[in-house]
């Protein structure tokens, strides 16, 4: 297998490209996804290659174009609407939650709704409170949707290809900080990655660190730092929230006896709550200390860098939480 | 702004007229029967009836091909019957039975028959509009001249999604017909209190599509206007908007008598313009049907609905194991 | 103190009435809240009493009228927009989440946004998948909002009065099944209930049942059934999700050693996750068995009664979960 | 539909003209300075500049009273300066400093000065429209003749919230002026590709409010049209819509040169119509300012901005403890 290094954005672009070529019913729509190639360059060149009928520049009408996409999905297309900043998904909630997610169920199975909502997440770019949010927990709370939160170019490409072949609505979250900054190996050969299979990004025996999307990277860096202290951390990336690979998480904690959950969504009533609850339940007899939850601080995301970085998990904060777990264990 | 011709009534053949009449009768009878079913406690929840409005769904849908699609509303039974939906699985659905169109999972507000191009009633006011735009998008891509119809009410027109999709539909010349069924009221408020401006045709025209207002209790007028819009759409000339003035006899739902916010006079006035009675007159005058034919059709429809109720009542509820089916494909 | 029995809807109505009288800047807006008195009768008579400028019938434009309300709040009014069915709040998400919740923070404290969003929740009325949802978890996940989920007429009135005096955006969820069906004592005298104080609805020593909104009632019924088996259940109602009275929950579980969380929102990534995680963390050394989470089944809410009731927690299911906890403990 | 008179230019007194010019200079200099600050790496994130568009915010805001309110957009610096905002706390905010208007919490896209009636720039395209409608609602209640202005772009007009609030504003006669700043492009797409129909005045008129299009590079035309709309609103006659045609010289944000989707010719064409140069000519022709006055004002503004940068750079970042402040009141 030949492998190159691609950025996260290039991996996304390649998945879109391959699937546009494969499936004539697939089409992309969103703001400046066409001629401009997407504000994050994820659709670069696709307009030229597939034409304006398959890579469509929409007006600034998130509710409208997402609604249109739902109807197109119900009638045989596979639309891929792009929500430029995940923050704007608030404008399209009704279409995603009340229409796309429910149509199959409400019709007793008469329709399929193959639609892949691509949305961004992630702070750390001094973009302010309305351009930095991570709302993946909301959608994981909605039956009928699948939610994907990839952390590497490899995973992004393989999971997006799976999403683009799914007969169901998928909300696919891409951390915008990774687009240009995260590079990684991606094979030339075609591959897909199934939903619902967590990936062990690093094996370890003393503690389990669960992280997703961009948070996998500071978590791996923290594991590196911990290794120097002689602490062996296992890093697990669930990769999809719905379906969730509970088994892999629980097994790891049964082995290590402790866990820290790291997520860039808000901590309260967020992803860290679900994962902590799942682990606390499934590994109840094996936990030596409470599961630590390290989400984003529960404040609107501030613009000023010293404030903003305070709110986001990083290596240092992860290491601190690990120490807390290990101290708890020693009690 | 291009104008549509002002509803020159098209020539309609005998069979089509009879089928129109038949569907109007079915639609009326369905509503009356559901009301009865509700009062007897044979259905769960509430129902939203549209008796009095039959000329709109039937007039519009009879102008459509089988492969054309519609999206409907919370007040959607007539649209479904208009497009050829069968009253038996509809009634079973209203009762929450496994033999219902949606296996009892959808319910009264969510009946769909996707094979017939009925993409579903919708409980979100305006919720069908985006879906209809999407179906029009697909239709344009298919290139087979198929069109998409969005039914919605005088209340729904004030949802932003109408405006957002209208803009795209005009830009992209989608074969989409917006049908606003103005039954004068939202739930309990007259539309004039909630609708500013120069009327809905003006709104449509400002967005770049032609619009027409018709007497929504005149099935042939509705049919003729729809045909013109449909043909325009099939020719690839884009969307248009039909506004039909009509009235619901009953309340917002079966639990509302509909008499608190509307006067007796207003209701009586509209009943005097009853779309079925009016159409009957036309049919007899034109020699399409005799009074005897009409009576026979009435009684057939009644029998059919009685049987649908019976069948629905005898049908099983879905098995509890079905609850987790159809969440995902 | 003289006390009458009021229905839940009457209690809501009375709070609105009293606060409309007290605060000239307060006004209500929504669909059919005026002349009609609200589809759930919560504003009955207020239009006649306070006039069409204070109890305002809006067009069917949830995004628009909620947006207008946010601007009115920022300029000195206290709007009370009603979202008739909480399911429709999807249409107003941007205004609530990106505008109301953040304005104070983003302006560095320049504005207050005193606004009380009233929305319904709750299934069990055969209203189908788009008229039965309970989205309180979403809003509890949003910094800048407070979330209230009252369970009794007494709590509803006292908490709503507090909300109507709050200088912050509050999302106030009312279970529509309770409006007419739940009656309870409400004093004639004025009172308010502070946010962030859980209420112990029933004291007990063997297990802690945490429930909110309408779920308190089947939970109390379950406690009654358990009492007959000799099991003493404590029933705690957090009453507000943000702020959350973690202390009271944890203390109870430290005493009982086990907990079941009951909520009508979807189970996955929902309220049960947060509460279970909080308890598993705070009462780690006292738990004898994993915390049981009993939310609504993760499926769109079906119309047909036998299916619908399968998805909602009830006495029987609560009792089963309690047995499960107690068996777990015996291991 | 009532029509507004076609922008008869009103008589503007000397001091007002000078202040207009001053604010336009400040607005221009602010953008140029921010660009420089960005290039030097003295600010975090990106900035959205509006150099070339100064006649719109200044022309509109100079027609307002201090107690009138505005809501602004992601491209909002000009609006804030137009309404009397101070460049020093603006610059500090852009840099994320504690001395910024929002203590560094808001940032470039969220500057607000509520005391001056500036209810905030907004990162959600269309996000200020609802807020402006709400401020107009409050204004009507107060009964003091105060008005509310919503600034937004040619892209934002296609958000449903414009349509939804337009309907309510007309129904309830809110003192609201919609100002659409058509700078020809959204981010990277020409508005003609995204805007169907008969134009925005037609959209406004269909909703029941008057609209006017003006040369958005002519500050006196903008001012005059706004005055007429404002007076109408103060009289209690309701909302109206002003469409100003203008152009941004730079890219969508400071990282975009703005030359990939726009031709050199187009940019040059618009630069030839520069609103500041044009207004300078008027001022000199009318004897309001001499070339010497103009030069002096230029250099004062430049010095002021240089000092603002200096002060911003020297100012502290907010203390980390502030991160949890202002979440709730
Ligand atoms: C988004 C949304 N808002 C509110 C409702 C509640 N509701 C149901 S029907 C209705 C009135 C609809 O009026 P109209 O569009 O005229 O349709 P009609 O009932 O007259 O057929 C309302 C407000 C809803 N179902 N969806
Ligand atoms: C709801 C929303 N959608 C998309 C964006 C991303 N975005 C920022 S500015 C912009 C273009 C806005 O165009 P216009 O309204 O014409 O304003 P201009 O930038 O030209 O001043 C877009 C798409 C956003 N900020 N908010
Ligand atoms: Mg109606
Ligand atoms: Mg623009």
């Amino acid at each position: 297998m030949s492998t190159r290094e691609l950025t996260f954005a290039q991996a996304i672009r390649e998945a879109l490209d391959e699937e546009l070529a494969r499936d004539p019913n697939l089409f992309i729509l969103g703001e400046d996804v066409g001629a401009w190639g997407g504000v994050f360059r994820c659709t670069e060149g696709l307009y030229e290659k597939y034409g304006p009928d398959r890579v469509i520049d929409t007006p600034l009408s998130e509710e409208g174009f997402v609604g249109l996409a739902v109807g197109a999905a119900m009638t045989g297309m596979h639309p891929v609407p792009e929500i430029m900043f995940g923050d704007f998904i608030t404008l399209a909630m009704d279409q995603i939650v009340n229409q796309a997610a429910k149509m199959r169920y409400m019709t007793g199975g008469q329709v399929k709704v193959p639609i892949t909502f691509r949305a961004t997440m992630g702070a750390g770019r001094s973009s302010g409170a309305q351009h930095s949010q991570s709302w993946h927990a909301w959608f994981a709370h909605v039956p009928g949707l699948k939610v994907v939160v990839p952390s590497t170019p490899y995973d992004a490409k393989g999971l997006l290809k799976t999403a683009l072949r799914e007969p169901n609505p998928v909300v696919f979250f891409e951390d915008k900080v990774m687009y240009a900054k995260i590079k990684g190996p991606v094979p030339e050969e075609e591959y897909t990655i199934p939903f619902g299979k967590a990936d062990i990004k690093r094996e370890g025996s003393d503690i389990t660190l669960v992280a997703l999307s961009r948070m996998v990277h500071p978590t791996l860096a923290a594991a590196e730092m911990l290794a120097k202290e002689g602490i062996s951390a296992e890093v697990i990336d669930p990769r999809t929230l719905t379906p969730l690979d509970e088994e892999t998480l629980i097994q790891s904690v049964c082995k290590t006896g402790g866990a820290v959950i790291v997520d860039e969504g808000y901590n309260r009533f967020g992803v860290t709550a679900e994962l902590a609850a799942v682990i606390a339940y499934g590994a109840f007899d094996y936990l030596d200390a409470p599961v630590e939850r390290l989400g984003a601080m529960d404040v609107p995301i501030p613009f000023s860098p010293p404030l903003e970085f305070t709110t986001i998990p990083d290596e240092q904060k992860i290491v601190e939480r690990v120490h807390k777990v290990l101290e708890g264990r020693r009690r | 702004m291009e104008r549509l011709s002002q509803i020159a009534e098209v020539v309609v053949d005998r069979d089509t007229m009879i089928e129109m009449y038949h569907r109007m009768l079915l639609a009326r009878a369905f509503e009356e029967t559901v009301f009865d079913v509700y009062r007897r406690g044979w259905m769960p929840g509430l129902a939203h009836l549209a008796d009095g409005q039959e000329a709109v769904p039937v007039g519009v849908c009879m102008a459509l091909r089988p492969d054309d699609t519609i999206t409907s509303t919370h007040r959607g039974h007539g649209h479904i019957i208009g497009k050829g939906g069968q009253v038996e699985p509809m009634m079973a659905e209203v009762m929450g039975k496994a033999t219902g169109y949606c296996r009892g999972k959808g319910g009264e507000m969510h009946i769909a028959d996707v094979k017939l191009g009925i993409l579903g009633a919708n409980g979100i006011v305006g919720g069908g509009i985006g879906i209809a735009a999407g179906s029009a998008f697909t239709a344009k891509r298919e290139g087979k001249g198929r069109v998409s119809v969005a039914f919605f009410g005088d209340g729904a027109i004030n949802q932003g999604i109408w405006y957002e999709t209208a803009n795209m539909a005009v830009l992209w010349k989608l074969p989409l017909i917006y049908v606003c069924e103005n039954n004068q009221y939202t739930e309990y408020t007259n539309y004039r209190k909630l609708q500013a401006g120069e009327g809905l045709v003006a709104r449509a025209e400002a967005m770049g599509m032609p619009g027409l207002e018709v007497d929504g209790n005149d099935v042939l007028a509705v049919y003729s206007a729809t045909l013109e819009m449909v043909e325009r759409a099939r020719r690839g000339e884009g969307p248009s908007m039909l506004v039909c003035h009509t009235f619901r006899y009953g309340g917002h739902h079966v639990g509302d008598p509909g008499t608190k916010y509307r006067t007796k006079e207003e209701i009586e006035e509209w009943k005097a313009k009853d779309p079925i009675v009016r159409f009957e007159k036309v049919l007899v005058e034109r020699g399409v049907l005799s009074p005897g034919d009409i009576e026979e059709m009435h009684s057939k429809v009644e029998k059919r609905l009685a049987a649908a109720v019976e069948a629905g009542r005898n049908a099983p509820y879905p098995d509890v194991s079905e609850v987790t089916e159809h969440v995902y494909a």
Side-chain angles (χ1 to χ4, degrees), chain B residues 305-325:
Chain B
L305 274 151
V309 170
E310 199 49 30
R313 294 195 63 204
N314 291 330
Y317 283 111
D319 189 85
V320 161
S321 67
E322 290 198 28
V323 75
T324 51
E325 275 174 29

Side-chain angles (χ1 to χ4, degrees), chain B residues 43-46 93-97 103-110 122-125 155-156 158-159 164 186-189 193-194 256 260-261 317-320 322-324 327-328:
Chain B
M43 68 165 287
L46 294 169
E93 189 63 33
V94 166
M95 295 178 172
K97 298 302 182 77
R103 302 200 57 76
K105 282 178 168 169
E108 183 267 335
M109 258 193 295
H110 302 288
N122 209 302
I124 303 297
V125 168
N158 293 317
Q159 292 282 3
E164 294 190 4
T186 57
E187 289 190 347
Y188 309 105
T189 304
K193 216 184 141 178
L194 306 177
D256 160 36
K260 220 178 142 186
Y261 47 98
Y317 283 111
D319 189 85
V320 161
E322 290 198 28
V323 75
T324 51
V327 183
Y328 299 101

Side-chain angles (χ1 to χ4, degrees), chain B residues 162-209:
Chain B
W162 177 79
Y163 174 79
E164 294 190 4
T165 59
N167 187 50
M168 287 184 285
V170 172
L171 281 174
W172 302 340
K173 293 206 174 191
L174 301 185
L176 176 60
I177 294 118
Y178 291 103
V179 179
C180 180
E181 216 161 334
N182 180 2
N183 64 4
Q184 317 299 313
Y185 290 83
T186 57
E187 289 190 347
Y188 309 105
T189 304
N190 188 281
Y191 80 96
R192 290 181 190 84
K193 216 184 141 178
L194 306 177
Q195 212 181 83
E198 307 290 299
L200 304 188
V201 170
R203 290 193 191 184
E205 288 182 350
M207 298 308 294
M209 74 180 95

Side-chain angles (χ1 to χ4, degrees), chain B residues 65-273:
Chain B
R65 300 194 319 216
D67 64 339
D68 294 332
T69 65
I70 64 166
T71 61
S72 172
T73 71
H74 59 286
R75 202 177 301 291
H77 309 152
H79 308 132
I80 292 153
I81 291 170
K83 192 69 173 48
Q86 299 301 303
V87 294
E88 293 78 8
M90 286 177 69
M91 191 60 76
E93 189 63 33
V94 166
M95 295 178 172
K97 298 302 182 77
T99 51
Y101 259 127
C102 310
R103 302 200 57 76
K105 282 178 168 169
E108 183 267 335
M109 258 193 295
H110 302 288
I111 303 178
D113 185 341
V114 175
K115 287 207 187 83
L116 292 175
I118 302 161
L119 298 180
N122 209 302
I124 303 297
V125 168
I129 293 177
I131 294 168
S135 175
F137 180 94
T138 303
K140 187 174 178 189
R141 280 285 297 261
E142 292 166 352
K144 295 181 187 148
R146 173 166 89 64
V147 308
S148 162
V149 169
F151 283 105
F152 54 90
D154 51 285
I157 187 69
N158 293 317
Q159 292 282 3
I161 194 156
W162 177 79
Y163 174 79
E164 294 190 4
T165 59
N167 187 50
M168 287 184 285
V170 172
L171 281 174
W172 302 340
K173 293 206 174 191
L174 301 185
L176 176 60
I177 294 118
Y178 291 103
V179 179
C180 180
E181 216 161 334
N182 180 2
N183 64 4
Q184 317 299 313
Y185 290 83
T186 57
E187 289 190 347
Y188 309 105
T189 304
N190 188 281
Y191 80 96
R192 290 181 190 84
K193 216 184 141 178
L194 306 177
Q195 212 181 83
E198 307 290 299
L200 304 188
V201 170
R203 290 193 191 184
E205 288 182 350
M207 298 308 294
M209 74 180 95
L212 268 184
E213 294 190 58
V214 299
D215 177 346
N217 279 11
D218 177 348
V219 69
L220 294 176
V222 173
Y223 178 77
S224 304
T226 308
L227 261 191
E228 187 171 347
M229 293 182 174
V230 165
E231 279 161 19
R232 184 176 184 275
R234 295 207 205 285
R235 286 194 305 269
E237 293 169 26
S240 41
M241 167 112 152
L242 181 64
V243 183
C244 304
H245 299 283
T246 183
F247 195 77
R248 61 165 151 82
Y249 293 156
H252 163 55
H253 58 60
V254 286
D256 160 36
T259 47
K260 220 178 142 186
Y261 47 98
R262 309 184 307 179
T263 61
K264 260 212 176 97
E265 291 71 43
E266 187 180 14
I267 299 172
E268 286 316 313
E269 214 173 274
W270 279 98
K271 283 195 170 168
K273 299 187 276 193

